[in-house]
Amino acid sequence: MTASLFVHPASWFILGAALMPVARRLGVMKVWLVLIPLIALARIHFLPESFGLVEYLGFDLQFGRVDRLTFVFLHVFALMALMGSIFALQVKESGQHIAAFLYVAGSFGVTLAGDYLTLFIFWELMAFASTFLIWYRKKKRSIEAGYRYLLVHTAGGLALLAGIFLLYHSGHDLSFGMFTQEGAGWAEYLVMIGFMLNAAVPPIHAWLPDAYPEATVTGAVFMCAFTTKTAVYVLARAFPGFEVLAILGAVMALYGVAYAVIENDARRILAYHVVSQVGYMVCGVGIGTAMAINGTAAHAYAHIVYKALLFMGAGAVLEMTGRSKLSELGGLYKHMPWTMFFTVIGGIAISGFPLTSGFISKSMIVAAAGNNHQIILLVMLTLAGVGTFLSVGIKLPYFIWFGRDSGVEAKEAPWNMQLAMAMAAFVCIFLGVFPGALYSMLPYPVEYHPYTAYHLSETFQIFGFTGLGFYLMVKYLKPHDVSNLDLDWFYRKGSLRFLGFAAGPVVAVNEWVSNVYRTIGTRFTMAAARAFSWFDKEGIDWTIDGAARGVVDGGDRLRRLQTGRIQHYIGGAVVALLAVLLVVVLI
């Protein structure tokens, strides 16, 4: 194996995870949690275009491949790791921090991977590490959700691995590059399915709203940022311009919003909005133009920050009150004013309000659909924007912070949580005011100006009519403590049916086979054993013992001929010599 010397950014998080117990024992775990992301954030600015080239077992592996598309995702991943670690400073369990760091390392590894084997290794690291962020909540629902999450992602990983095998079989090339829609076959679409599952594309999306609300408070903050956005990155890298992604992305945007409007649990609302907002990005990948890919990258960056901010706010409420259902909350603005302030910023940012990051990113994808004359997609994405403002921009903050006073006593979130939320809120506003800071990192030269009179007028009209609609329908939007069925119903019920089948017919068949073996198989086995015993005794032993007896008898006869007298031996030799001469004469 040969390799050039390099330090992979993921190595810092792996090292950080490995030494976390030591840092805790030395009392410097909080410093360690902040130091590692800071090092990674600084390190990504000095990465070469290619590094970590390794030849191993006949495979050419590339652990580092950096271009402008890679950099924008690496930058926001490192920034998110820093904010998430600050938010998690009060967590004393080092295991949670280890899982989070390994999860981030997996995301870095996937983003930098230049070949499918390297990508798959880090892909699976992400899946297994993030599962522990669900299990660490240590509740029955969390344990069950974690198992479902792991099983679903294992299935997606198998689909991805099957596609990788087929790709290697067809061309003996594992390099991770771009596919074309015209030449795509089974291998390419299996790889796409593996990527789409992590992106939560319907109908393989239900794992996300099933798992994220059951994760730990800090675990959900990390999970909303990395899995789906890493999937968006690999889709943008491999499948730009695939029309099926444009259609599914637009469906995602509306599907997630529809469920978010009727949901009651704050973190489930936000989870469904992950589906909706990632739908914009998947649609942008499917459109495939330079503006659409720019919009996808920009929206991924903006979404990671404001979605993390929203999960931080909802998590802070859960941490301080023990509640996350809107029907059990209300009037908290008096107790948690700073958390309310930061969360509202996240709500208007995700809605695409002017002077926020969502305004400068989401509209780029919508404009790309219009420029590409895909009017149906444009209308679907616009309608999804209306639902976003209705559910997260208005409904969520109204029923948590205002509305009917629930009487819940709470206090403001710890300083580190407020600091992390303040950092995320600042980024949301900063990018909205100075969009060039984000546009300068995008893959292609930017020819887009969000602050046009038309765009501002359109946005304010949409917000105005949506706000009026909420005012008129507020009593119908009042949250109720009900469970909404999604497509996860099928694998939930399917798993129960499978367990029932395993406990019923499978057990019955197993017992029947056991009885047959005991009644027939055992008798046959014993009869065969007796037959082999007889053959061994009467056949093999008789032959071997008879031969042995013949040898012994022959030896006895020869021994009797040995008298020990020399005259007998001489006489025998003479007789033998005469016998030989007689034979010669007769012949």
Side-chain angles (χ1 to χ4, degrees):
M1 183 176 76
T2 61
S4 58
L5 181 63
F6 70 101
V7 178
H8 198 291
S11 304
W12 294 107
F13 290 98
I14 295 173
L15 177 66
L19 297 181
M20 191 70 68
V22 177
R24 180 185 179 185
R25 192 172 298 113
L26 296 176
V28 295
M29 187 168 70
K30 293 183 178 181
V31 176
W32 193 244
L33 285 171
V34 177
L35 180 63
I36 294 299
L38 281 175
I39 293 174
L41 183 60
R43 172 67 177 141
I44 63 172
H45 290 85
F46 303 99
L47 293 176
E49 292 184 359
S50 179
F51 63 92
L53 301 176
V54 178
E55 182 182 344
Y56 183 67
L57 296 179
F59 296 104
D60 293 324
L61 308 181
Q62 185 177 11
F63 284 85
R65 186 263 310 276
V66 182
D67 57 16
R68 294 178 66 87
L69 179 63
T70 307
F71 180 79
V72 67
F73 280 87
L74 284 179
H75 192 274
V76 72
F77 285 162
L79 180 62
M80 182 60 235
L82 176 61
M83 293 188 297
S85 295
I86 292 174
F87 186 79
L89 286 178
Q90 85 284 353
V91 176
K92 297 180 180 179
E93 291 175 316
S94 59
Q96 279 200 56
H97 300 304
I98 292 172
F101 271 18
L102 291 177
Y103 181 35
V104 176
S107 300
F108 269 73
V110 169
T111 307
L112 285 165
D115 66 277
Y116 276 103
L117 183 57
T118 302
L119 184 149
F120 181 77
I121 293 171
F122 284 107
W123 191 265
E124 293 302 293
L125 176 61
M126 286 173 54
F128 282 88
S130 56
T131 302
F132 287 91
L133 296 176
I134 306 171
W135 282 340
Y136 259 106
R137 198 176 178 193
K138 300 177 182 179
K139 292 187 176 182
K140 182 176 183 295
R141 289 173 60 92
S142 301
I143 299 299
E144 293 172 348
Y147 276 118
R148 290 191 294 268
Y149 175 90
L150 184 59
L151 289 173
V152 170
H153 280 274
T154 300
L158 289 174
L160 174 60
L161 185 61
I164 293 172
F165 281 159
L166 291 177
L167 285 175
Y168 183 74
H169 178 72
S170 62
H172 293 280
D173 183 14
L174 289 178
S175 59
F176 178 37
M178 185 186 300
F179 298 118
T180 59
Q181 185 168 312
E182 293 75 17
W186 277 104
E188 289 79 6
Y189 281 107
L190 280 172
V191 171
M192 181 188 287
I193 290 172
F195 291 165
M196 285 168 55
L197 185 139
N198 272 30
V201 177
I204 48 178
H205 72 286
W207 59 267
L208 193 155
D210 177 35
Y212 283 19
E214 303 303 332
T216 65
V217 168
T218 57
V221 172
F222 278 94
M223 293 178 72
C224 76
F226 292 100
T227 297
T228 50
K229 264 59 73 182
T230 306
V232 167
Y233 166 79
V234 293
L235 286 172
R237 173 70 68 188
F239 298 100
F242 276 65
E243 188 176 357
V244 64
L245 293 177
I247 297 170
L248 289 174
V251 171
M252 283 178 72
L254 284 174
Y255 190 97
V257 159
Y259 267 92
V261 170
I262 63 175
E263 265 296 337
N264 181 30
D265 187 279
R267 297 207 299 175
R268 281 183 68 84
I269 292 173
L270 296 177
Y272 273 114
H273 265 291
V274 173
V275 176
S276 177
Q277 296 298 300
V278 172
Y280 281 87
M281 305 170 210
V282 173
C283 185
V285 172
I287 295 171
T289 62
M291 179 179 285
I293 298 300
N294 272 352
T296 296
H299 198 48
Y301 194 108
H303 176 266
I304 286 174
V305 178
Y306 63 60
K307 181 60 69 174
L309 174 56
L310 288 165
F311 265 100
M312 288 177 189
V317 171
L318 178 61
E319 185 84 1
M320 296 296 103
T321 67
R323 304 182 186 187
S324 61
K325 293 182 178 180
L326 303 189
S327 57
E328 300 175 351
L329 296 168
L332 290 182
Y333 74 93
K334 296 176 293 186
H335 307 289
M336 306 176 70
W338 283 111
T339 303
M340 178 206 70
F341 175 72
F342 297 134
T343 307
V344 168
I345 291 177
I348 63 175
I350 194 175
S351 303
F353 201 84
L355 301 181
T356 66
S357 56
F359 180 79
I360 69 164
S361 63
K362 184 189 302 183
S363 57
M364 192 181 295
I365 300 174
V366 179
N371 292 346
N372 213 38
H373 307 292
Q374 294 172 292
I375 305 304
I376 295 178
L377 297 182
L378 184 150
V379 172
M380 293 174 71
L381 296 178
T382 302
L383 290 175
V386 173
T388 300
F389 182 57
L390 178 65
S391 55
V392 182
I394 304 177
K395 174 186 173 180
L396 186 70
Y398 177 81
F399 287 109
I400 291 179
W401 309 110
F402 307 105
R404 178 185 61 85
D405 192 336
S406 61
V408 175
E409 294 293 333
K411 60 181 180 179
E412 190 57 90
W415 69 269
N416 61 292
M417 288 185 169
Q418 294 186 56
L419 176 58
M421 288 188 281
M423 292 172 63
F426 171 79
V427 174
C428 290
I429 300 299
F430 178 81
L431 295 181
V433 176
F434 302 101
L438 177 57
Y439 290 171
S440 64
M441 291 190 287
L442 298 181
Y444 302 102
V446 179
E447 294 292 339
Y448 179 71
H449 303 283
Y451 290 102
T452 62
Y454 175 81
H455 187 203
L456 289 169
S457 174
E458 176 190 48
T459 300
F460 284 123
Q461 288 180 54
I462 290 174
F463 286 165
F465 281 106
T466 304
L468 177 62
F470 179 83
Y471 175 77
L472 296 175
M473 298 187 301
V474 63
K475 62 179 181 180
Y476 301 106
L477 293 173
K478 184 178 180 181
H480 300 283
D481 191 11
V482 295
S483 297
N484 298 311
L485 297 177
D486 199 352
L487 293 176
D488 60 333
W489 180 87
F490 290 99
Y491 63 75
R492 287 171 181 261
K493 294 298 182 181
S495 62
L496 293 176
R497 295 289 183 272
F498 175 78
L499 291 175
F501 175 74
V506 173
V507 171
V509 170
N510 181 62
E511 291 181 352
W512 180 81
V513 171
S514 298
N515 290 331
V516 169
Y517 175 76
R518 283 193 295 269
T519 55
I520 299 176
T522 304
R523 294 178 182 178
F524 174 79
T525 302
M526 294 303 295
R530 286 193 293 270
F532 280 118
S533 178
W534 177 87
F535 178 74
D536 179 65
K537 181 178 180 180
E538 302 298 330
I540 298 175
D541 289 354
W542 181 85
T543 301
I544 295 175
D545 293 348
R549 283 193 295 271
V551 172
V552 171
D553 292 342
D556 290 340
R557 295 189 183 96
L558 288 174
R559 189 162 47 251
R560 284 196 293 270
L561 293 176
Q562 297 176 354
T563 60
R565 297 179 179 179
I566 187 67
Q567 57 270 30
H568 291 170
Y569 298 149
I570 295 173
V574 171
V575 171
L577 180 62
L578 293 174
V580 171
L581 291 174
L582 179 61
V583 171
V584 172
V585 171
L586 291 176
I587 293 175

